Amino acid sequence: MAESEPLLSRARGGSGRGCPEGLPARCSVQVGPGAAWKDLCLEQAVVFIEDAIQYRSINHRMDARSMWLYRWYYSDVCQWILSFVIFLILSLAFIETPSSFTSTSDARYRAEPWHPPCGLTESVEALCLLVFTADLAVKSYLVGWAQFRKSLWLLAYFMVLVLSLVDWMVSLSLLCQEPLRLRRLLRPFFLLQNSSMMKKTLKCIRWSLPEMASVVLLLALHLCVFTMFGMLLFTGEKQDDGQDRERLTYFRNLPEALTSLLVLLTTANNPDVMIPAYSKNRSYAIFFIVFTLIGSLFLMNLLTAIIYNQFRGYLLKSVQASLFRKRLGTRAAYEVLSMTAEGQAHPQGAGVKAQDLLQALQKVQVDSTRKQALLEKVRAHGHGLLSANDFQKLFNELDKSVTREHPPLPEYQSPFLQSAQFLFGHRYFDYLGNFIVLANLVSICVFLVLDADILPHNRDDFVLGILNCVFILYYLAEMLLKVFALGPLGYLSYPSNVFDGLLTVILLVLEISTLAVYRFPHPGWKPEMQGLLSLWDMVRLVNMLIVFRFLRIIPSMKLMAVVASTILGLVKNMRAFGGILVVVYYIFAIVGITLFQGVIKVPGNGSLAPDNGSAPCGSYEQLEYWANNFDDFAAALVTLWNVMVVNNWQVFLDAYQRYAGPWSKVYFVLWWLVSSVLWVNLFLALILENFLHKWDRRGNLPSLSGDLESTHDTSTVDLLFREVLEEPTEEELMEKLRHHPHLQWCR
């Protein structure tokens, strides 16, 4: 049988005349028997439905071989391999020279790092670049040349690959002795281009930059004005004058004064910067208080508000576009399935056979729970035809939360067993368990306070050992009684029970091991080293696990459940924001290594620094910050983290100014702006959006842990705006379909 032409591909020489308005035209080439036509219709519908579920664009090739390649490319295995390759190429920064394979980053104690032989990391990198080349080739083929030329991301992908390959060849030609590896700065692009949500987030950030820049300019003006005031105010008259000490320490020249007030804007050097002048005259405090009020409390919080407002608005636009892609995909699937099995179209508006939709859904790759709910909805419709509106409503089910069906409870004949089942399956039994866990935690806290000043080998752990045995026996009994009441499968269907049961088994194993080694608790029961662990170490392990078990009370408290669900929502939605942060950290770390590697030198001879008593108080040397450097990739990441927190970040500004030059301040100020000002405020915006979304729904939150866990929550960024999104109109969808680059629609 000859290969069929794509059902919706652009006809070669055909105009599509003679078909109903709004329906895809038949290809001008003979398609073949009716069965082949129907199979092609179903395959295209499957692809369109999967595109809708994943919010993907439908602007790709739709012939049989291209659809096979498309589905293979988006399969879990292929995407996992691609994600692993991205992780692998990013991880090379820890291995490449300068290697991070040392036990410490402290310049005083750090051993000579391992230098990988030339060609080792380059070979791994070459394999990764080959995978990315194949990835670009597949994407380019699927979207077509016309779409490839219009896609800035694909063009940038091509340029990054070309530059990386050229730089890779330069490295080999120089025997890996090149001073700069440009391709290391380009590697985060592979992470960006593989995530649609990260692209969306990056676009939102770019759209929000003009509004952010206006407030940053206000901050800069605020800094400049108060810097000039400070330079004029703290002139000093004599060497022991407070004004003179203020000037010499913080306002010696314009760059120093600007740096001091910039650090004060983050409150990192408050009140140190004020003390010299304030000690001389209390009225000088007005200058610093007014500066902090305007800068830290007004302008910085105004920046947070603007970032939240603008970012939310642009994110809403992006989510609206995602909803349009979803509706477009389902509408395209409807148009395909409206063709008959013999390739003839139904009369206008006739609809889709429910049986055809069932066949397509069977092949769709989606969560099994949601697929089953969707199949049941279609079967409930009967054997009639689905209209476009009914078809769209069916797929709205994917946006709803699906309640898991727990296995049926075991049936007992004895009235006594039935009563016991009711008792141990009741929510009050969970409350009792929460109370016991709270009592256990209180007992641990009491013994931590009582034994705080006693050395481990002098402690009498008799009472604590008895209490641990009693509580663990209760946890074991609770687990067995719940299994009796709910049945083994019913017990395991609740995530909280799985968590509790796993901890109970681990606690039981540790307790049995403790009793086997140290015997049953008795007066004078003291820890002695037996093998790797002492008795106290075993008891600490048990108690730490009990603290984890205390988390079970969170779902039982309404307000705590709101906060906990907000945290879970953040974890689900943080992949894009976390990815952006990884990209920023990676780029700044590579730039930091290039600029500052080896500039921090330990003074004196030998491996140890001399006594730091002569170093100025609060300096890099006196605080022994030697481990904070840019001598390798891992150390650079930790240093950037410490600067992002902005506690004592003036120490880094001062040290690298002395060791590398005054221009180094530009690097750290840029990092502060990108990480602490921009990204932290974006993260705060996401927290607010998640919390407000959960808080508005708090009345519908179930109060019981079992009920809370039985709901399959689909909370993602797009669902945060579900109530305010506008549904696309029929005309918008059909107009977009008619302009599809690989589909020929009737006019």
Side-chain angles (χ1 to χ4, degrees), residues 234 237-238 240-246 274-285:
F234 304 113
E237 298 176 357
K238 51 187 178 181
D240 60 347
D241 186 63
Q243 289 177 306
D244 195 61
R245 287 190 292 113
E246 184 77 40
M274 182 179 67
I275 289 301
Y278 179 65
S279 299
K280 176 67 177 179
N281 192 321
R282 70 177 71 238
S283 61
Y284 284 123

Side-chain angles (χ1 to χ4, degrees), residues 232-448:
L232 295 173
L233 186 62
F234 304 113
T235 55
E237 298 176 357
K238 51 187 178 181
Q239 194 66 27
D240 60 347
D241 186 63
Q243 289 177 306
D244 195 61
R245 287 190 292 113
E246 184 77 40
R247 178 182 63 83
L248 292 176
T249 307
Y250 298 106
F251 291 87
R252 184 169 58 249
N253 50 51
L254 188 63
E256 287 292 332
L258 192 62
T259 302
S260 299
L261 291 182
L262 177 63
V263 175
L264 180 59
L265 192 65
T266 65
T267 68
N269 61 351
N270 184 68
D272 296 350
V273 69
M274 182 179 67
I275 289 301
Y278 179 65
S279 299
K280 176 67 177 179
N281 192 321
R282 70 177 71 238
S283 61
Y284 284 123
I286 298 175
F287 171 83
F288 297 99
I289 292 175
V290 171
F291 173 82
T292 304
L293 277 174
I294 297 175
S296 299
L297 299 183
F298 291 162
L299 292 180
M300 292 299 290
N301 288 320
L302 178 63
L303 179 63
T304 301
I306 289 178
I307 289 177
Y308 171 69
N309 184 62
Q310 295 297 326
F311 182 77
R312 186 184 191 277
Y314 290 123
L315 188 60
L316 175 60
K317 293 180 181 179
S318 297
V319 172
Q320 183 70 56
S322 296
L323 177 65
F324 184 85
R325 285 197 298 269
K326 182 172 186 175
R327 298 295 183 251
L328 187 64
T330 55
R331 181 60 195 226
Y334 171 82
E335 295 294 335
V336 169
L337 290 175
S338 65
M339 308 299 290
T340 63
E342 298 299 326
Q344 301 297 326
H346 286 294
Q348 179 72 10
V352 172
K353 290 181 179 180
Q355 188 62 32
D356 291 342
L357 179 56
L358 285 174
Q359 292 184 38
L361 290 175
Q362 293 290 352
K363 299 181 180 180
V364 172
Q365 296 180 358
V366 68
D367 177 71
S368 59
T369 305
R370 298 187 173 276
K371 177 188 283 190
Q372 189 61 34
L374 199 56
L375 290 173
E376 291 177 0
K377 285 287 184 180
V378 178
R379 294 190 184 103
H381 190 274
H383 297 286
L385 296 178
L386 295 166
S387 65
N389 189 42
D390 294 334
F391 192 89
Q392 197 69 263
K393 286 181 179 179
L394 283 174
F395 286 94
N396 290 343
E397 295 295 321
L398 295 175
D399 299 333
K400 299 179 181 179
S401 297
V402 179
T403 302
R404 297 176 186 171
E405 293 292 337
H406 295 288
L409 299 177
E411 297 181 0
Y412 298 106
Q413 301 300 324
S414 170
F416 173 77
L417 294 180
Q418 291 176 356
S419 301
Q421 182 184 32
F422 173 79
L423 178 64
F424 299 124
H426 199 274
R427 65 177 182 272
Y428 288 135
F429 187 64
D430 287 332
Y431 294 162
L432 176 62
N434 293 341
F435 177 77
I436 296 297
V437 172
L438 181 61
N440 195 355
L441 189 64
V442 170
S443 68
I444 293 173
C445 294
V446 169
F447 278 97
L448 286 176

Side-chain angles (χ1 to χ4, degrees), residues 197-217:
M197 193 60 203
M198 287 180 62
K199 294 177 185 176
K200 186 184 302 182
T201 305
L202 199 63
K203 183 182 294 186
C204 293
I205 294 174
R206 178 172 60 84
W207 283 342
S208 304
L209 283 179
E211 288 76 15
M212 300 179 197
S214 62
V215 182
V216 172
L217 287 176

Side-chain angles (χ1 to χ4, degrees), residues 506-530:
I506 297 175
L507 287 171
L508 185 63
V509 170
L510 285 174
E511 189 66 22
I512 292 174
S513 302
T514 302
L515 295 179
V517 174
Y518 300 102
R519 307 305 177 194
F520 195 78
H522 53 81
W525 203 46
K526 295 181 180 180
E528 296 178 359
M529 185 65 69
Q530 299 279 353

